[in-house]
Amino acid sequence: MTRPDPAGTWYSRPAARHWRCARPPESALGFHAGLPGYRRTPLVEQPALAAELGVGRVLVKDESSRLGLPAFKMLGASWAVARLLARRGGLTGSPTLEQLRHASAGRPLRLVAATDGNHGRAVARMAKMLGADARIFVPWAVPDPAVAAIAGEGATVTRVDGPYDLAVQHAAAFAGARPEAELIQDMAWPGYQEVPRWIADGYATMLHEIDAQLAALAGPTVPGLIVVPAGVGSLAQAVVAHCRSGPLASDAVTATAVLSVEPDGAACVLASLLAGELRTVPTAGTNMTGLNCGTPSAAAWPYLLAGLDAAVSVSDAAAAEAVADLARLGMSSGPCGAATLAGARAALTGTGSPARRAGLGIDATSVVVLLSTEGGAAAHASSRP
């Protein structure tokens, strides 16, 4: 299949593999392992995709069932809430859920968030597990079934007549006016940095799992490329921090490259990278609802600017095609998760791909990891508390 040249929707910075940052804390992994229903999500090898992309191996991290929900977001939301309540109760290390319940007892607690769907449901689920209230703000484009799923967790849902960025403003204002409210937002801005950083730290559990799963495989297991979907960029921040906190390889081409993928109609990370500064873009409707964000997180931005190798935007049609192709391979993925396959195709195949592959350091022996961050419609319908 011939892929279009992504000129105009492509950013590349090979020097990113020379950048290094401090190693993120690893205590979230122990906390998540103690939550009910924890297990490593599958890392599934797909030889047919490796042949199509012209690489040695393709492995898909399947987040269609994570801690009882059909997406990865519980990793960040639960850890941010745990850090807040641990500080309230004077707890250290990786607190247990029972310790968090005790820390939240005797004082009203309401968790507040804005969401395109999965993050808000994760915050609502965490509130439910703690016996707390939740208030979730959603933008106009969030589908009714996603709103119903959030409400099904016991949350009060308020629909905002505007895009995601406006929903974030409403959530922040609501939380700021109520002493019992805690804003659990994955988007950072000046004066609101700590909780988004904790959320990104929570996402690192997925990456530690991938490391262990790759180490158990035979043959080359160091990723040449990790492909990550980007909304406000918090998951991409976690991936960059994970890949850039180790020792610098003598030849940076052998280091892991990181590629972010966004919808054509909401490519705020790509626009910011091309401009060299944070930019806000207008957003339109997209089937990649969870990526329909207009402004990157201020906490993620330094990591993306310095340590992200490449960024690409993809069409709704390309994401839908990737959903169908993954389904034929036996994997449940929604458009946000399947966007990583669409992005890998845009980067590694089609007109101009030799130069893009060279910039990423990818050849016929490379290992590529795709983060499929959400399940398809069936996975969302079948998730249970």
Side-chain angles (χ1 to χ4, degrees):
M1 184 179 300
T2 300
R3 304 287 172 188
D5 184 349
T9 63
W10 176 259
Y11 163 90
S12 178
R13 184 176 180 269
R17 270 160 285 174
H18 291 281
W19 182 71
R20 286 296 176 268
C21 62
R23 182 172 294 278
E26 299 181 8
S27 47
L29 178 60
F31 168 72
H32 290 137
L35 291 178
Y38 171 79
R39 63 176 181 83
R40 288 180 185 169
T41 55
L43 184 67
V44 183
E45 186 153 13
Q46 295 290 1
L49 295 182
E52 176 194 344
L53 297 176
V55 296
R57 314 179 83 157
V58 170
L59 300 112
V60 183
K61 184 64 167 168
D62 179 2
E63 292 289 314
S64 61
S65 179
R66 170 65 78 174
L67 290 167
L69 292 176
F72 78 106
K73 289 286 190 175
M74 189 65 169
L75 293 175
S78 64
W79 182 237
V81 173
R83 289 296 305 268
L84 278 170
L85 295 183
R87 184 163 62 191
R88 176 187 292 186
L91 305 174
T92 60
S94 296
T96 66
L97 187 61
E98 188 56 39
Q99 287 174 319
L100 295 179
R101 290 191 182 111
H102 181 75
S104 63
R107 173 181 163 186
L109 174 64
R110 178 177 295 170
L111 303 182
V112 181
T115 187
D116 280 324
N118 289 320
H119 173 70
R121 187 174 179 187
V123 172
R125 174 65 64 87
M126 195 62 186
K128 186 176 183 179
M129 293 171 69
L130 293 168
D133 295 328
R135 180 68 169 265
I136 308 298
F137 293 80
V138 302
W140 65 270
V142 174
D144 289 341
V147 174
I150 297 168
E153 303 292 343
T156 300
V157 183
T158 299
R159 192 182 285 275
V160 174
D161 187 17
Y164 172 81
D165 287 21
L166 184 62
V168 171
Q169 294 173 25
H170 279 259
F174 180 90
R178 291 160 176 81
E180 81 283 3
E182 296 283 2
L183 182 65
I184 310 298
Q185 201 59 52
D186 51 358
M187 179 178 177
W189 54 86
Y192 185 76
Q193 302 271 337
E194 189 173 47
V195 168
R197 186 175 69 249
W198 289 338
I199 288 173
D201 289 344
Y203 293 157
T205 288
M206 185 198 309
L207 303 166
H208 292 304
E209 290 179 358
I210 291 171
D211 286 345
Q213 290 166 315
L214 287 172
L217 298 176
T221 57
V222 176
L225 177 67
I226 297 178
V227 189
V228 54
V232 298
S234 293
L235 178 58
Q237 171 191 348
V239 176
V240 168
H242 186 79
C243 293
R244 302 289 176 255
S245 59
L248 180 64
S250 58
D251 179 0
V253 173
T254 66
T256 300
V258 182
L259 167 67
S260 71
V261 185
E262 299 168 278
D264 284 341
C268 61
V269 169
L270 177 62
S272 297
L273 291 169
L274 290 172
E277 60 183 13
L278 276 176
R279 291 287 177 87
T280 296
V281 301
T283 57
T286 172
N287 60 3
M288 293 166 273
T289 307
L291 307 181
N292 195 26
C293 306
T295 307
S297 167
W301 174 239
Y303 292 86
L304 305 181
L305 180 63
L308 189 65
D309 296 82
V312 69
S313 67
V314 298
S315 68
D316 280 14
E321 180 184 6
V323 168
D325 289 343
L326 287 172
R328 281 190 285 271
L329 293 170
M331 301 195 71
S332 170
S333 184
C336 294
T340 55
L341 174 55
R345 285 168 164 169
L348 303 181
T349 68
T351 305
S353 61
R356 294 191 296 275
R357 294 172 71 98
L360 292 168
I362 299 301
D363 60 25
T365 68
S366 298
V367 176
V368 175
V369 175
L370 308 180
L371 305 186
S372 178
T373 51
E374 65 172 6
H380 282 259
S382 64
S383 63
R384 293 288 183 270

